[in-house]
Amino acid sequence: MKNTTNYDAIIIGGSYSGLSAAMALGRSLRKVLIIDAGDPCNKQTPHSHNFVTQDGEKPNVIAVKAKEQVLKYDTVQFINDKAINGEKSEKGFTIQTQSGAAYSSKKLIFATGIKDIMPDIKGFAACWGISVIHCPYCHGYEFKNQKTAIMANGERAFHLASLVHNLTKKLVILTTGKANFDDTQLAKLHQNGIEIIETEIAEMEHQNGKIQHIVFKDGKKIDLDAVYAGIPFEQHTDIPVGLGCELTEQGYIKVDTFQKTSISGIYACGDNSSMMRSVANAVYTGNMVGAMVNKELVEKEF
């Protein structure tokens, strides 16, 4: 191990929420280390939307600008490395990284995002974040009035249908198996002219991530411009769980209204702890964490 260095806070994850937390802490003269492995979940997404002042900007451009601004605060340090283990120490926490370094801090912030689990459908991964999308608020306006599918079932599909139908009437639901709707939901879907296709999907034909057709296992195909897909996810790292942090039933890190986890001194922000998956929300929750961490440190020192 290299020599351990002590910080007020270590932030694991250097994207929007992590950088936002670091800015709040840097402006409070806190010694901060950001550890980032360079694998953001939106790396394929061409544009970010529904974020005032940055609407339509490329996600990487926002991240680069944010990093430049945060690192102007000389108490903030950024390293490209991967956190692989965390331990509770007498004075706080110790994080070990893939490079063999070890760092300690009084507070620990997880801004690690989530890892999407891609279905075994040819072409899906190549389209994810481009024309196979997750959120009407992030992407819906760009596909308004276009041929759109919802790849989901049951309550999730019904909820998405109500939102997406507001943006386009050219809408179909792909359940990739037996549909799971109650009579009331089926009546509402029928009333709004939304077709349900239960046939399993074999392939998504596309050009550079822009979907053209859905090909079903029976050989039939339909033309589409966009697909909303509800897919499973997992946490990018098991360090929070290893330290005792609770997860919700959905698999998010459990936090309170101030982004505190179930373990004292550990916070989480961004996509790893919120169903509201957006850049704007990541920035907000990171800012909240920075303020709360500084508040706890101040209260102990004052």
Side-chain angles (χ1 to χ4, degrees):
M1 289 285 184
K2 298 176 183 177
N3 291 334
T4 300
T5 305
N6 298 306
Y7 294 87
D8 289 316
I10 290 175
I11 301 171
I12 302 176
S15 194
Y16 314 105
S17 62
L19 291 169
S20 182
M23 177 172 281
L25 288 165
R27 290 181 58 80
S28 298
L29 307 181
R30 295 299 176 184
K31 191 175 182 183
V32 179
L33 176 66
I34 305 168
I35 303 172
D36 184 63
D39 188 26
C41 65
N42 67 350
K43 53 184 175 289
Q44 279 194 175
T45 305
H47 302 283
S48 175
H49 291 284
N50 206 26
F51 182 14
V52 173
T53 76
Q54 301 295 331
D55 190 47
E57 186 58 274
K58 296 178 181 178
N60 185 59
V61 171
I62 300 172
V64 168
K65 184 176 182 179
K67 183 179 175 182
E68 289 174 351
Q69 291 179 349
V70 168
L71 293 184
K72 288 179 181 178
Y73 297 95
D74 57 13
T75 59
V76 180
Q77 182 183 354
F78 189 109
I79 63 169
N80 295 109
D81 206 344
K82 183 177 182 180
I84 59 172
N85 188 50
E87 295 177 357
K88 188 81 171 68
S89 65
E90 187 176 328
K91 295 183 179 180
F93 305 93
T94 300
I95 295 294
Q96 289 88 35
T97 67
Q98 198 168 58
S99 69
Y103 306 95
S104 65
S105 64
K106 299 171 186 173
K107 305 292 183 183
L108 188 56
I109 300 167
F110 287 99
T112 43
I114 54 176
K115 182 180 180 180
D116 297 302
I117 301 172
M118 302 293 164
D120 186 21
I121 297 173
K122 184 179 179 182
F124 185 101
C127 294
W128 183 240
I130 301 171
S131 59
V132 178
I133 52 183
H134 77 285
C135 171
Y137 297 105
C138 298
H139 308 286
Y141 184 86
E142 284 62 48
F143 291 102
K144 64 183 184 299
N145 300 321
Q146 297 190 41
K147 292 175 286 186
T148 302
I150 292 170
M151 183 180 151
N153 205 345
E155 182 60 38
R156 179 169 178 78
F158 185 79
H159 172 66
L160 271 173
S162 67
L163 295 175
V164 178
H165 188 260
N166 179 59
L167 298 165
T168 179
K169 304 301 184 277
K170 303 169 186 176
L171 185 59
V172 62
I173 293 177
L174 311 175
T175 59
T176 63
K178 185 171 177 56
N180 181 25
F181 300 102
D182 62 32
D183 291 343
T184 301
Q185 291 171 332
L186 285 171
K188 182 70 72 171
L189 294 172
H190 179 73
Q191 175 187 324
N192 285 286
I194 300 172
E195 182 185 2
I196 300 170
I197 300 176
E198 298 179 319
T199 312
E200 290 188 39
I201 299 170
E203 181 180 354
M204 293 183 172
E205 294 181 341
H206 66 94
Q207 287 290 331
N208 299 319
K210 295 181 179 180
I211 194 166
Q212 296 179 315
H213 308 98
I214 290 282
V215 182
F216 297 98
K217 288 190 175 180
D218 62 5
K220 294 179 181 177
K221 64 169 64 176
I222 59 172
D223 298 340
L224 285 173
D225 299 303
V227 177
Y228 290 87
I231 62 174
F233 69 88
E234 61 187 10
Q235 293 289 329
H236 257 300
T237 175
D238 59 4
I239 297 176
V241 172
L243 288 168
C245 296
E246 294 180 33
L247 300 182
T248 68
E249 290 183 4
Q250 295 80 23
Y252 297 101
I253 299 174
K254 188 176 182 179
V255 295
D256 66 11
T257 54
F258 299 113
Q259 304 300 129
K260 296 181 180 181
T261 71
S262 56
I263 299 299
S264 179
I266 303 180
Y267 292 75
C269 51
D271 294 349
N272 65 13
S273 50
S274 173
M275 294 179 66
M276 189 64 180
R277 189 174 178 181
S278 71
V279 174
N281 188 62
V283 171
Y284 160 69
T285 56
N287 186 259
M288 173 68 78
V289 164
M292 290 300 105
V293 167
N294 184 63
K295 177 178 179 290
E296 283 196 357
L297 292 169
V298 165
E299 287 174 346
K300 187 173 182 179
E301 297 163 353
F302 187 71

